[in-house]
Amino acid sequence: MAAGVVLFACSAPAERELAQDVGANEPVGESSAAATDSACPTFRAGAHEGFVVSGQARSFQVLLPPASFAGPRPILFAYHGTSESGARFVSRARLAEFAARGFVVIAPDAKGNGSFWPVWDAMHLPSASAPRNLDVDLFDRLLSCATSKLSIDRTRVFATGHSAGGIFTNHLLRARSSVLAGGIPASGVFDLTGPAGPPPSLDGMLVIVTWGGDNDRYSGSTPSGVHVPEFSFVEQASLASKYYSAQSGVDHVRCRGNDVGHAWIPANDWFIDLMLAHPKGTPAGSLQLPPLPPGARASCSTQPYELAPLPQMTCPSTPRSGCTETCQLVADCAVENRTVGPSLASALRNMGFTTSSCGGCVQRCQAGATSAADQRVLACISDWAQGETCEAGGIEGAFPFFLIVNQCCSNAAGSAMCRQVCSALDSNPAAKAFFPVCQSF
C-alpha cells in the first residue's frame, strides 16, 4: 500500500524559517526548457526513461487506448504514492481501465523533489517563497509534448494521484486549473498545497475528492528512514472537499470509502463517466451523479464533507501564572486537531495530555516550570496566545502553536517548560522539524 505524508517533515533549511516573504506563483504554461533538456519522446506504450526536463532526468509509464479510438483523446496524469512507482500505481489503481475507455495515461516516477515532503513537490509553508517546481515543470512539458505527438483533447486533461500523489494532485489542481478539466485527489493532504502567493481563484473544472473512510490512516517509515507517526487523512479530505465545493466554477464530488483504509476507491468506470461528461468549459452546477456500481464500497455526494469538531477541553487553573494558558494553547491547537493530534499523540502524552484532559500538563508545568526563564516563557506564551484560535483545523490550523513556541522559547535555554516540550518532541523527528527552536535545547 502506498505510504502517506510525513507530518511536519522538512528537508531544507528554508522551510524551517517561519517568517519569510511570500514568493510569486509559479507561471502557468510550459516551463522554459534548459539547454540540456530532451526533445519530446515518441510516447510509445510502456516505460520511458532519460527524459530530461529542467535539467532533471525523468522516467514515466505510458498507456495508450486501443487503436479503435479515433480522434482527440482525453489524457490522465497519474501520480503514485510514497513507496511505489508509476508502474506500481498503474497496476494498483487499475488505470488500464482508463486506457480501455479511450484515455492516454501518463504515470511519472517521483524524483524526491520538494523541501517539505520530498516525494512530489506539493507542500510549502504559506510564508515561504517556493522555488521553481520541477514536478510542475514535468507536467507542463509532458502535456506540451503529448499534444504535439498524439491526438489529445485539450478540453479533457485530467490529473489524479493517491497518498503522496494525492497531495501533488491537490497542488496541481490549484496551480494549473487553467489547463486541467479536473482530477481525483485521493487520500491526499490538502493543507499547504496552494501555490505561493495570494490564494488562486480556480478555473472551472471537476474535482472528485476521495478517501478510504474513517480508517484512512498511515504509519511507517519514509524511503529516507524517517519514522512516520500515525497520520489520518479524514480531516484533510474534509478540508479539500469544503475548499473545492466553495469555488464558484468547480463541480465538486466527494467519495467516502466504506472503511477500506488507505486505498484507492474501486469505481474507475464511474469516475471515467463523470470525467468524460465534464470537458473544460462545462458550466458548473449541472452535474448529476449516477448511482455507484456494485462493489464500489463507497458513498458519494456533491455536498461538502463536514466533520464535527472534537470535544473542547478546558484546562484547570493553577497558581503558577501562564501554565493554564500554555496548556490550553496546546490543547486547542494540537490535542483537538484531527490531523495534528494523532501524529503528535506520543509527544502530547509525554507533555501530560490525554484525549480528554489537560490536567496532567498543568500539573507538570506547575511543578517544573519554576525558573526565571520559565516565568518569561510562560508570560510570553500567555501574551501571544491572547486572541489566537485554532478552529480551522488541519496543519495550518495548528500554526499558532508552532509559531508561539518558536517565538517564546527562543533564547530561553534555562526554561524547563521549553525543555519539556522539546523533550516530548524528541521521539518524533518529523514533528521536531516544525520546531527549529528545539535545536538549541
Side-chain angles (χ1 to χ4, degrees):
M1 186 171 292
V5 67
V6 181
L7 182 61
F8 314 144
C10 303
S11 66
E15 287 290 60
R16 296 178 183 175
E17 297 299 329
L18 302 181
Q20 295 184 20
D21 292 335
V22 175
N25 282 323
E26 301 125 343
V28 175
E30 185 182 354
S31 63
S32 299
T36 57
D37 284 2
S38 299
C40 288
T42 59
F43 290 100
R44 53 174 171 73
H48 293 251
E49 297 182 354
F51 180 50
V52 180
V53 176
S54 297
Q56 196 172 54
R58 306 303 296 259
S59 57
F60 56 94
Q61 295 284 324
V62 174
L63 303 182
L64 296 176
S68 57
F69 285 95
R73 306 314 312 152
I75 187 168
L76 176 70
F77 289 85
Y79 296 93
H80 64 74
T82 300
S83 57
E84 62 182 356
S85 63
R88 173 60 183 148
F89 181 47
V90 165
S91 173
R92 176 169 67 89
R94 300 183 178 182
L95 300 185
E97 295 174 359
F98 283 80
R101 293 284 302 274
F103 278 78
V104 173
V105 178
I106 298 179
D109 295 316
K111 199 71 172 178
N113 292 325
S115 55
F116 194 96
W117 170 233
V119 178
W120 305 101
D121 190 358
M123 301 172 69
H124 293 271
L125 294 175
S127 59
S129 56
R132 185 160 194 91
N133 193 312
L134 301 183
D135 291 323
V136 174
D137 283 356
L138 177 64
F139 166 79
D140 291 340
R141 186 91 170 106
L142 284 172
L143 177 59
S144 175
C145 284
T147 55
S148 70
K149 297 291 186 179
L150 303 171
S151 182
I152 298 297
D153 183 352
R154 286 299 297 260
T155 70
R156 288 185 169 90
V157 179
F158 297 93
T160 191
H162 182 258
S163 193
I167 306 172
F168 185 66
T169 302
N170 275 320
H171 177 75
L172 203 58
L173 288 167
R174 300 172 76 178
R176 291 295 184 267
S177 70
S178 62
V179 298
L180 286 166
I184 309 172
S187 298
V189 174
F190 177 77
D191 276 323
L192 310 179
T193 58
S201 177
L202 300 189
D203 279 7
M205 56 182 176
L206 168 71
V207 179
I208 307 171
V209 176
T210 77
W211 71 105
D214 290 345
N215 66 344
D216 192 339
R217 297 183 292 271
Y218 171 80
S219 62
S221 296
T222 72
S224 59
V226 176
H227 175 66
V228 184
E230 183 174 82
F231 189 94
S232 171
F233 290 85
V234 179
E235 185 179 47
Q236 292 299 310
S238 176
L239 293 172
S241 172
K242 290 188 290 186
Y243 170 81
Y244 292 119
S245 177
Q247 301 297 306
S248 60
V250 172
D251 272 325
H252 151 270
V253 180
R254 46 94 166 174
C255 292
R256 178 185 181 275
N258 296 335
D259 288 338
V260 299
H262 192 53
W264 178 263
I265 302 296
N268 283 356
D269 279 332
W270 191 83
F271 295 147
I272 292 167
D273 288 341
L274 287 180
M275 293 160 75
L276 290 177
H278 204 289
K280 194 74 172 172
T282 301
S286 59
L287 184 65
Q288 297 293 323
L289 294 186
L292 280 164
R297 301 175 63 189
S299 58
C300 300
S301 171
T302 58
Q303 297 301 310
Y305 185 64
E306 299 282 354
L307 275 176
L310 292 174
Q312 293 185 339
M313 62 179 67
T314 301
C315 297
S317 59
T318 176
R320 192 169 304 286
S321 177
C323 283
T324 297
E325 292 82 358
T326 296
C327 293
Q328 191 68 58
L329 172 71
V330 182
D332 293 344
C333 295
V335 182
E336 298 167 16
N337 186 302
R338 290 180 180 270
T339 299
V340 174
S343 297
L344 291 182
S346 63
L348 293 171
R349 284 194 299 270
N350 291 338
M351 294 171 64
F353 288 94
T354 69
T355 56
S356 60
S357 172
C358 50
C361 172
V362 174
Q363 291 173 6
R364 294 187 186 192
C365 177
Q366 170 68 26
T370 58
S371 70
D374 283 317
Q375 295 308 304
R376 290 192 296 272
V377 168
L378 293 173
C380 175
I381 292 175
S382 297
D383 183 54
W384 276 85
Q386 291 183 27
E388 290 286 356
T389 62
C390 295
E391 297 175 356
I395 300 171
E396 295 180 33
F399 274 2
F401 171 39
F402 310 150
L403 295 169
I404 291 171
V405 169
N406 281 294
Q407 174 73 26
C408 294
C409 287
S410 178
N411 299 316
S415 168
M417 168 61 71
C418 294
R419 283 200 305 273
Q420 179 193 4
V421 172
C422 291
S423 177
L425 293 168
D426 196 52
S427 62
N428 191 331
K432 279 181 66 178
F434 235 71
F435 294 89
V437 71
C438 289
Q439 296 173 13
S440 63
F441 284 87

